[in-house]
Amino acid sequence: MTFGEQPAYLRVAGDLRKKIVDGSLPPHTRLPSQARIREEYGVSDTVALEARKVLMAEGLVEGRSGSGTYVRERPVPRRISRSGFRPPSGATPFRQEQANGETRGTWESSSEQAEASGAVAERLGIRPGERVMCTRYLFREAGEAMMLSTSWEPLAVTGRTPVMLPEEGPLGGMGVVERMAAIDVVVDNVTEEVGARPGLAEELLALGGVPGHVVLVIQRTYYASGRPVETADVVIPADRYRVAYHLPVK
């Protein structure tokens, strides 16, 4: 096989990827061995190994101890709908993150006071080291882990109020908008920035992914009259979900 200017291992990986995508190598099929790849494509052991590493990093194949490398089942991506903040209407944290009213889910959470890191402080417009309430969420749909969220709220805003703990008190379990309204803080704007990166080990463990999987990261910040009152990192497995935005036309 003649290879162009592209590195040989990428050409091999590309051809194997095409076979996986078009079904020539269906899920649970054993990937050709390193020796078979070397023979079929006329490449070295190093090239064959690197090509297999590319497919593993892309999450297309997985190694099974003592058995070989197999094509992974490719999940059909489901949709996570987002539409910015909702007005006070009994919104829950799950509804805050998933705007599709037909979707039902549960969540687990834990809160603790912490010092704002430099990055979090910048997003909240406070000084590094100032006290914040940090809340970590794990969201599930039909029992399956679908999303992680870590939020930070300045205690200068919520401290010593009934909503200081997002999941406790009279408004525990409600969304940010309704909780803030209870202390006369009117949320009037929200921003979201979407990016992607390899998932951290602890994130993939919680979400059921494998090393090398990519996650979508949504950096969300709520504002009241220009002042940030909550910021969060929402982490979603990119191979299982797509994020759909519903934005009103003004």
Side-chain angles (χ1 to χ4, degrees):
M1 178 176 291
T2 301
F3 296 102
E5 296 182 0
Q6 190 178 40
Y9 76 96
L10 290 181
R11 288 283 188 173
V12 174
D15 190 65
L16 291 171
R17 184 190 303 111
K18 181 177 180 296
K19 292 179 179 179
I20 292 172
V21 171
D22 69 18
S24 300
L25 287 173
H28 311 297
T29 300
R30 185 174 179 177
L31 196 71
S33 67
Q34 189 167 312
R36 176 72 180 275
I37 292 174
R38 182 188 64 214
E39 178 182 348
E40 181 176 346
Y41 292 94
V43 296
S44 67
D45 280 332
T46 299
V47 169
L49 178 60
E50 289 302 312
R52 289 158 64 93
K53 285 182 178 179
V54 168
L55 298 177
M56 270 194 182
E58 293 176 350
L60 295 174
V61 300
E62 61 184 353
R64 299 179 186 174
S65 180
S67 179
T69 304
Y70 292 79
V71 177
R72 295 184 67 247
E73 187 82 45
R74 299 180 67 209
V76 177
R78 286 170 282 175
R79 179 176 295 175
I80 292 179
S81 298
R82 304 185 69 80
S83 60
F85 71 86
R86 263 72 59 196
S89 58
T92 66
F94 184 86
R95 186 60 53 230
Q96 176 176 289
E97 304 301 353
Q98 166 62 284
N100 184 353
E102 297 179 358
T103 305
R104 297 288 181 267
T106 60
W107 68 93
E108 305 160 17
S109 67
S110 63
S111 296
E112 63 180 355
Q113 293 191 34
E115 294 183 354
S117 67
V120 169
E122 182 177 0
R123 286 161 60 176
L124 288 174
I126 61 178
R127 293 188 301 274
E130 284 195 37
R131 305 295 291 177
V132 294
M133 184 62 68
C134 176
T135 304
R136 293 179 172 85
Y137 293 90
L138 169 60
F139 296 93
R140 300 181 187 275
E141 180 186 356
E144 177 186 339
M146 61 173 294
M147 188 188 321
L148 301 172
S149 177
T150 303
S151 70
W152 299 270
E153 296 178 352
L155 287 176
V157 175
T158 62
R160 300 180 183 277
T161 74
V163 301
M164 184 174 75
L165 291 169
E167 295 299 307
E168 297 182 22
L171 292 179
M174 296 297 182
V176 172
V177 176
E178 188 166 41
R179 289 177 47 250
M180 291 296 170
I183 57 173
D184 297 323
V185 175
V186 179
V187 173
D188 54 16
N189 191 25
V190 59
T191 63
E192 293 193 346
E193 296 183 9
V194 183
R197 60 167 170 75
L200 303 179
E202 57 269 27
E203 293 170 341
L204 296 176
L205 179 63
L207 293 170
V210 299
H213 271 194
V214 172
V215 295
L216 299 174
V217 181
I218 301 172
Q219 290 189 358
R220 182 198 63 220
T221 304
Y222 283 100
Y223 295 86
S225 300
R227 180 185 186 182
V229 295
E230 190 255 24
T231 193
D233 286 341
V234 181
V235 178
I236 302 167
D239 64 328
R240 284 186 275 148
Y241 292 94
R242 297 289 182 267
V243 178
Y245 283 86
H246 302 271
L247 306 176
V249 177
K250 295 183 178 180

